[in-house]
Amino acid sequence: MSTVIPKPLGDLIDSLAQLPGVGPRTAERYAYYLLRAEASKADSLVQSLAKLHAGIKYCPKTFALISSDQELSPIYTDPKRNKQQVAVVADPFDIVALEKTNSYSGTYHVLGGLVSPIDNIGPQQLKIKELIQRIDEDKVTELILATNASVEGESTALLITQQVANRPVKLTRLARGLPVGVDLEYADQITLTRALEGRQSL
Amino acid sequence: MSTVIPKPLGDLIDSLAQLPGVGPRTAERYAYYLLRAEASKADSLVQSLAKLHAGIKYCPKTFALISSDQELSPIYTDPKRNKQQVAVVADPFDIVALEKTNSYSGTYHVLGGLVSPIDNIGPQQLKIKELIQRIDEDKVTELILATNASVEGESTALLITQQVANRPVKLTRLARGLPVGVDLEYADQITLTRALEGRQSL
């Protein structure tokens, strides 16, 4: 192929193909797009990539992503937010999803993953110790376990439940049930079971 | 969102979301991946992107992509290749696809697109004039019109047929028919019509 794809383009394709879910064909498409677009587009990508690792760090309290010039996450320092209510999530982008609802005014704690023996992620790799510290320091009254409804999400939630058992904190879990707009007949069995279990009186 | 996604990360997401077929969610996933991966991965992407526009140009003869330090495409200059046989393709990556077959030893001519009134691409935007020049200079005997089987591909092929009508060059078209491994009953009507029309004697 070396005669067909010039090296600078081949290098870019190789780099792009490392992105999650991107195969060689998609990488070629991205590379060719960047080549045909004005140089400014590739430039802006270069600029933002170069600033990425230097410009971002983790909030030492919530482990959300913050700019390097910030000390703590603005969500944590915001006086309007209830520090005693903490939503526990796996990844920083879960915060984005929950914030979009505009119906939560507590703070967050990012675990940095979920327990997953296959990927070699044990409880020690997650920010559980730091979470327990926060419970004590901020006198947290409610932990909302907002992990995914997967095996990993459920076992991580169970693990946290066990670890904070001796602390006076209320544990809640995001409701499982029928997604809005989905017909009952198309819902899978487990979702429907959860929807039945969690049924609410009118 | 500005409080949730720090600016360096937001900038990267915006840049990545400009890639073809990449929405905000996918861009977030790529950005988060690059953030979690070692800095070397983002670095190698930066390096290859920075070298892209400066390191690549179009071959002035075939309009295939070549490194800036090359004068002509190696496929064109290779003495083992038959300069009198030219496969006419829309984009540089079509060459990659044809080269993978290992069954073509002619050269290529990249049109740089297909006639498409919707995208405002007319015959003037394509390298048709340069193709005709090549026919005369290299005494081309066969043009293989290897454009897509789409409306744009067919009309571009028709256009080239008209423009070279007064030159002593044989025009061929890639065969249309049943793809290998596809059952007759699942083939669409047009493909089957073409397969019938192009039937070959045993």
Side-chain angles (χ1 to χ4, degrees):
Chain A
M1 284 305 100
S2 59
T3 51
V4 186
I5 300 181
K7 192 170 177 307
L9 190 62
D11 288 348
L12 179 62
I13 292 172
D14 290 346
S15 293
L16 288 169
Q18 305 213 343
L19 292 172
V22 174
R25 290 288 305 147
T26 308
E28 276 179 16
R29 202 152 57 95
Y30 291 171
Y32 190 46
Y33 169 83
L34 287 166
L35 187 65
R36 293 191 70 161
E38 317 94 90
S40 69
K41 276 203 181 141
D43 265 358
S44 79
L45 191 51
V46 166
Q47 296 304 324
S48 44
L49 269 169
K51 281 183 204 143
L52 181 65
H53 279 264
I56 298 268
K57 64 176 187 186
Y58 289 95
C59 165
K61 208 72 179 169
T62 64
F63 300 95
L65 298 170
I66 54 174
S67 307
S68 295
D69 51 6
Q70 295 176 313
E71 240 177 82
L72 288 165
S73 167
I75 289 180
Y76 183 75
T77 52
D78 187 344
K80 270 178 278 175
R81 296 221 166 223
N82 178 5
K83 280 198 183 59
Q84 299 188 289
Q85 194 181 34
V86 177
V88 180
V89 295
D91 289 316
F93 280 104
D94 294 334
I95 299 180
V96 180
L98 283 166
E99 280 300 292
K100 277 184 188 152
T101 65
N102 272 325
S103 51
Y104 178 64
S105 64
T107 58
Y108 295 90
H109 189 88
V110 179
L111 293 171
L114 293 170
V115 172
S116 167
I118 283 178
D119 302 320
N120 224 352
I121 302 178
Q124 310 79 21
Q125 271 83 53
L126 307 180
K127 306 291 181 190
I128 295 178
K129 210 175 65 216
E130 291 83 351
L131 174 62
I132 291 171
Q133 233 173 52
R134 260 183 89 179
I135 295 175
D136 295 343
E137 283 172 16
D138 291 342
K139 306 202 173 12
V140 174
T141 55
E142 182 181 1
L143 277 193
I144 303 172
L145 301 178
T147 51
N148 283 336
S150 59
V151 175
E152 290 83 9
E154 299 287 355
S155 43
T156 307
L158 185 65
L159 183 83
I160 294 172
T161 309
Q162 292 165 344
Q163 302 232 348
V164 303
N166 56 350
R167 277 174 175 80
V169 58
K170 185 178 154 198
L171 290 173
T172 58
R173 191 106 178 70
L174 289 186
R176 308 295 180 206
L178 291 175
V180 176
V182 166
D183 275 11
L184 201 118
E185 56 177 323
Y186 297 123
D188 65 288
Q189 215 177 328
I190 299 172
T191 300
L192 215 46
T193 307
R194 296 297 185 86
L196 264 175
E197 286 170 358
R199 67 190 179 278
Q200 287 163 333
S201 50
L202 293 171
Chain B
M1 284 304 98
S2 60
T3 51
V4 186
I5 299 180
K7 191 167 179 308
L9 190 61
D11 288 348
L12 179 61
I13 292 172
D14 290 346
S15 294
L16 288 169
Q18 305 212 342
L19 293 173
V22 174
R25 289 291 302 149
T26 309
E28 276 180 15
R29 204 151 56 97
Y30 291 171
Y32 190 45
Y33 169 83
L34 287 166
L35 186 66
R36 293 190 73 160
E38 319 94 89
S40 69
K41 275 200 182 146
D43 266 358
S44 80
L45 191 51
V46 165
Q47 297 305 325
S48 44
L49 270 169
K51 281 183 204 145
L52 181 66
H53 279 265
I56 298 267
K57 64 177 188 186
Y58 289 95
C59 165
K61 208 73 178 169
T62 63
F63 300 96
L65 298 169
I66 54 174
S67 306
S68 296
D69 51 7
Q70 294 175 316
E71 241 177 85
L72 288 166
S73 166
I75 289 179
Y76 184 76
T77 51
D78 187 345
K80 271 178 278 175
R81 295 222 166 223
N82 178 4
K83 279 198 185 56
Q84 299 188 291
Q85 193 182 35
V86 177
V88 180
V89 295
D91 289 314
F93 280 103
D94 295 334
I95 299 181
V96 180
L98 284 166
E99 280 299 292
K100 277 185 187 151
T101 65
N102 273 325
S103 51
Y104 178 65
S105 64
T107 59
Y108 296 90
H109 189 87
V110 179
L111 293 171
L114 293 171
V115 172
S116 166
I118 284 179
D119 300 321
N120 223 351
I121 303 179
Q124 311 78 18
Q125 271 83 54
L126 306 179
K127 306 290 181 191
I128 295 177
K129 209 174 63 212
E130 291 83 350
L131 175 62
I132 291 170
Q133 233 174 53
R134 259 183 90 177
I135 295 175
D136 296 342
E137 284 173 14
D138 290 343
K139 305 199 173 16
V140 173
T141 54
E142 181 180 3
L143 277 193
I144 303 171
L145 301 177
T147 51
N148 282 338
S150 60
V151 176
E152 290 83 11
E154 299 286 356
S155 42
T156 307
L158 185 66
L159 183 83
I160 294 172
T161 310
Q162 291 165 345
Q163 302 233 349
V164 303
N166 55 352
R167 278 174 173 80
V169 59
K170 184 178 154 198
L171 290 172
T172 57
R173 192 102 179 75
L174 287 187
R176 308 295 180 205
L178 291 175
V180 176
V182 166
D183 275 12
L184 200 120
E185 56 177 324
Y186 298 122
D188 66 286
Q189 216 177 328
I190 299 173
T191 300
L192 215 45
T193 308
R194 295 297 184 86
L196 265 175
E197 285 171 1
R199 66 189 181 278
Q200 290 162 332
S201 49
L202 295 173

